[in-house]
Amino acid sequence: MTSQALPFFENLNPSILPCLYSAVASLSQTRQAHAYILKTGLLTSTLFSTKLVSQYANHRCFNQADLVLRSISDPSISSFSTLIYALNKYNLFTQSLSVFSRMLSHGVLPDSHVLPNVVKACGKLSALKFGRGIHGFVCKFGFDSDSVVQASLVHLYLKSDRIRDARNVFERLPEGDVVTCGALLSAYARKGCVNEAKEIFSGMQRLGVEPNLVSWNGMITGFNQSGNHIKAVVMFQGMHSKGFQPDHITISSVLSAVGDMERLTIGIQVLCYVIKLGFLHCKFVISALMDMFGKCACAEELMKAFEETDEEVMDVGARNALITALSRNGLVDVALEIFERFRVRGRELNVVSWTSMIAGCSQNGKDIEALELFREMQSAGVKPNSVTIPCLLPACGNIAALIHGKAAHGFALRTGIVTDVHVGSALVDMYSKCGRIHLSRLCFDSIPNKNSVCWNAIMGGYAMHGKAKEAIDIFHLMQRKGHKPDFISYSCVLSACSQGGLTEQGWHFFNSMYEDHGIEAKMEHYSCMVNLLGRSGKIEEAYAMIKQMPFEPHACVWGALLSSCRLHNNISLGEIAARNLFELEPNNPGNYILLSNIYASKAMWDEVDAVRDAMRSRGMKKNPGCSWIEIKNQVHMLLAGDKSNPQMTEIIEKLHKLSLEMKKAGYLPDTNLVLQDVDEQDKEQILCGHSEKLAVAFGLLNTPLGSPLQIIKNLRICGTGQQAFPLVSASKPSFMELLAMEYELRTL
């Protein structure tokens, strides 16, 4: 307060002065001062009114502050700026811009202190249009020579992802500052613009700005996020050589880059450096270290790092990194055990923890466990999100848990995440795998902003159901809607052609990949073509295609040929395919079984025995047939030859009765499909033990009349099942309980 103003205050209540000018005045004191000023008619004083605005704003009473501001007949820039500063401070950016607009309407021009605050508000609100208007004002009234104002514009454009505009403003900065330079080079690094980032970085010295730790971290983190992992590691080495000591952000970023590069040796070197710096007990570094070991497929080192880490130091991020890394490396049982240990000990777990565990189970064949975890997650009060549902739905599709899938769909509808493209795509895939292709199409049609994943999901569903025409129609519709097909799109349409036996159309799509879209044929496309040709009986042509491939065929290609040889009982090419598979997949019993079945179809029992002996010598066993059926919200698994089901006696009896009734109806089991050298009676007994038949009997015993049965199997459905199930649902009086039965089986 100036000496000239003192006489003005002589006749005022002395308690007002300390209140208006005090930083610790209470709200009650401010209101008393406001009342006194109103009473004495001093509210017309811009000085007093501005002080009242400031005091009310300090107490977050912004409505009162705004009312006082509106009552000022001749407000000054200080009157408006006081409220603008306060609103910005408490992140009320919309109100801040509104006050700024009123300020301009009163003819009060902003100064170099107000403008950066207003520009900041534009950046926080992504109000680029408003911000551009302020930029024009800056240029018009000569503020473009003010470093603070110009720097705020750089940050505005960076927040709006207008990096070129930010660079243009940056080039006209009268003097640089380390914060603005760091923000710009970090933005270039995140976009993968290596040359531009290096140019800004090297140019900092010309501006008299010395890079600091934040600048280095911006470069390292940005390069890592943009996929330039090698550049991130090189920047880390440069930082070290320049004498800058990293912090936990630096170490976490470089460990993440090393993990993505899968360079364990570099990771070990960084680990040694971490130990030297004493960062090993930092929760962020622990999380990054576990993530790095997981990405490098070093399960042993990962577990050692976990065992040597105090659980008290680990935060929820480190726990999530551990769970994800274990699941990624196939150690889902260990992940489940550690996850349960965390729960029992009351360690913090969040939606990411549960989602990671559900995804790990779903991706590693533990679909029932994934469903159980989803139920427990909700019981624990953790709300699933738009990532959880797409992780859960594949598990529902894998075992045809339609009721669980519909429940997840309902949750997505209630929470409003059903419009998320990832959720929608997962629903399309789940319903098609559960045999509800019409629901799959409805979900597809309801996705507002479709991407290639959505289109590929519905095409794959139609292909799975043998609906080649519909899949091809979707393929063409996709392009008419302006979406370019990718290599997965072509895999789906080629698979559809294979299922439908459309050889000529398959060749057309295969050739058009490169001709129309420049897509080089990958292993999956050759596998689809070999399968298409082989299923159509053109096995020699399929083999010729394999020999002409531009790269060495993988197991999927030889597997497609071997399956076709089994279908057409081609021994010579079957042996060639099998020999290659034995080298590529020495521990896969399925290849031995297929060759054995080809021999058995020709009654070559000595060769069958030789293959079986080879399997035994390698310690391999045939994977048992396994079927799943969902009854009363619970998924039940039935294994061929397994006697553990408590209802197995009733199941066998039910199958025996059905067999007698079907024989009366004229059905005789095709014992030629039993590829074993046993008596006819034994063959019939073997056919009754197939898992899908056990599942049907189990379903009939445990569901009311007219209930649909949906079964999924881990192996291809046997031929007798394909013949028998239509008869099971035939309209004969002795089968009234089966009239409404809907049997849907997906072959994996």
Side-chain angles (χ1 to χ4, degrees), residues 43-51 53 65-76 79-80 106:
L43 193 62
T44 55
S45 168
T46 302
L47 178 62
F48 280 114
S49 299
T50 300
K51 289 299 181 182
V53 170
D66 194 49
L67 286 172
V68 173
L69 178 60
R70 290 176 183 275
S71 69
I72 302 174
S73 58
D74 188 22
S76 66
S79 308
F80 288 101
H106 275 78

Side-chain angles (χ1 to χ4, degrees), residues 585-643:
E585 298 178 329
N587 298 316
N588 184 352
N591 300 323
Y592 289 85
I593 297 298
L594 279 174
L595 180 60
S596 172
N597 288 345
I598 294 174
Y599 286 141
S601 68
K602 299 292 187 180
M604 299 169 65
W605 302 117
D606 291 340
E607 286 79 1
V608 170
D609 291 340
V611 174
R612 303 281 174 161
D613 289 342
M615 286 181 64
R616 280 190 290 271
S617 68
R618 289 170 172 79
M620 289 185 289
K621 293 182 179 180
K622 178 182 178 181
N623 293 326
C626 177
S627 295
W628 292 269
I629 183 170
E630 187 179 25
I631 296 174
K632 296 178 182 178
N633 292 342
Q634 185 175 355
V635 178
H636 300 267
M637 181 174 66
L638 291 101
L639 288 168
D642 182 18
K643 305 295 184 183

Side-chain angles (χ1 to χ4, degrees), residues 117-299:
N117 282 273
V118 177
V119 173
K120 177 184 177 181
C122 291
K124 293 292 186 180
L125 295 172
S126 299
L128 180 60
K129 186 176 181 180
F130 199 108
R132 284 191 181 280
I134 296 174
H135 190 179
F137 182 93
V138 166
C139 295
K140 180 178 179 180
F141 289 95
F143 290 104
D144 48 358
S145 61
D146 189 291
S147 296
V148 178
V149 174
Q150 291 292 88
S152 69
L153 287 169
V154 172
H155 289 284
L156 164 66
Y157 286 125
L158 289 177
K159 282 181 169 44
S160 303
D161 200 27
R162 308 287 295 191
I163 194 167
R164 181 175 297 178
D165 292 332
R167 179 67 180 272
N168 291 336
V169 177
F170 177 81
E171 295 291 353
R172 292 194 291 272
L173 277 173
E175 59 182 58
D177 67 274
V178 69
V179 176
T180 306
C181 292
L184 186 60
L185 66 86
S186 178
Y188 273 126
R190 285 196 304 272
K191 283 186 169 292
C193 303
V194 177
N195 294 332
E196 291 84 350
K198 286 184 174 180
E199 183 182 341
I200 296 294
F201 193 76
S202 60
M204 290 176 70
Q205 290 184 340
R206 292 197 302 271
L207 293 170
V209 179
E210 190 68 30
N212 61 7
L213 180 60
V214 176
S215 309
W216 287 101
N217 283 349
M219 290 282 280
I220 294 169
T221 304
F223 283 141
N224 182 42
Q225 292 174 348
S226 64
N228 289 282
H229 308 303
I230 295 177
K231 296 293 182 185
V233 174
V234 170
M235 286 299 299
F236 175 71
Q237 293 171 333
M239 174 184 181
H240 177 64
S241 65
K242 294 286 186 181
F244 282 89
Q245 183 168 311
D247 62 1
H248 64 276
I249 297 175
T250 323
I251 298 297
S252 300
S253 297
V254 78
L255 281 173
S256 176
V258 170
D260 288 322
M261 292 164 59
E262 299 182 8
R263 298 289 296 273
L264 180 62
T265 53
I266 300 177
I268 296 298
Q269 293 175 25
V270 177
L271 173 59
C272 295
Y273 190 46
V274 166
I275 295 172
K276 180 181 177 181
L277 293 173
F279 287 164
L280 195 57
H281 299 293
C282 173
K283 57 186 179 181
F284 301 106
V285 174
I286 292 170
S287 177
L289 187 63
M290 291 183 176
D291 181 65
M292 184 272 291
F293 280 134
K295 289 176 179 176
C296 292
C298 298

Side-chain angles (χ1 to χ4, degrees), residues 294-505:
K295 289 176 179 176
C296 292
C298 298
E300 185 177 344
E301 289 81 355
L302 174 65
M303 286 303 299
K304 183 179 290 187
F306 168 63
E307 290 164 359
E308 294 179 357
T309 301
D310 184 358
E311 279 191 32
E312 297 291 341
V313 180
M314 295 179 66
D315 67 348
V316 66
R319 297 185 194 104
N320 294 342
L322 174 65
I323 292 167
T324 303
L326 290 169
S327 299
R328 183 189 292 130
N329 287 279
L331 300 175
V332 66
D333 289 324
V334 179
L336 277 168
E337 180 184 336
I338 292 175
F339 181 80
E340 189 59 31
R341 186 197 306 179
F342 288 152
R343 291 182 63 193
V344 171
R345 295 181 180 179
R347 306 298 185 196
E348 182 188 358
L349 297 169
N350 59 15
V351 64
V352 178
S353 318
W354 287 91
T355 300
S356 298
M357 201 64 258
I358 290 170
C361 290
S362 180
Q363 293 164 6
N364 287 276
K366 292 189 171 293
D367 304 300
I368 295 177
E369 289 85 347
L371 299 182
E372 185 61 32
L373 278 168
F374 184 68
R375 282 195 292 266
E376 292 177 9
M377 174 184 185
Q378 295 175 88
S379 299
V382 181
K383 186 178 179 181
N385 59 21
S386 59
V387 179
T388 313
I389 300 302
C391 290
L392 172 73
L393 288 172
C396 300
N398 290 341
I399 55 176
L402 182 62
I403 295 175
H404 289 81
K406 285 184 173 180
H409 189 181
F411 176 86
L413 286 167
R414 291 193 302 275
T415 55
I417 63 174
V418 73
T419 56
D420 181 276
V421 67
H422 302 292
V423 174
S425 299
L427 285 168
V428 170
D429 183 66
M430 181 275 294
Y431 278 122
S432 65
K433 286 180 177 176
C434 286
R436 301 297 194 274
I437 191 63
H438 60 290
L439 295 179
S440 183
R441 181 59 186 267
L442 286 174
C443 288
F444 170 79
D445 290 337
S446 67
I447 299 174
N449 298 307
K450 300 177 179 63
N451 61 9
S452 59
V453 177
C454 310
W455 291 97
N456 293 341
I458 190 64
M459 267 192 288
Y462 278 132
M464 182 191 303
H465 285 259
K467 296 181 177 293
K469 179 182 180 301
E470 289 83 348
I472 293 171
D473 288 344
I474 286 287
F475 183 81
H476 293 311
L477 178 62
M478 173 185 183
Q479 295 175 79
R480 288 198 299 272
K481 294 291 185 179
H483 294 269
K484 183 180 178 180
D486 57 17
F487 76 96
I488 298 176
S489 309
Y490 274 101
S491 295
C492 293
V493 76
L494 287 173
S495 176
C497 291
S498 177
Q499 293 289 334
L502 305 177
T503 308
E504 290 185 10
Q505 286 180 276

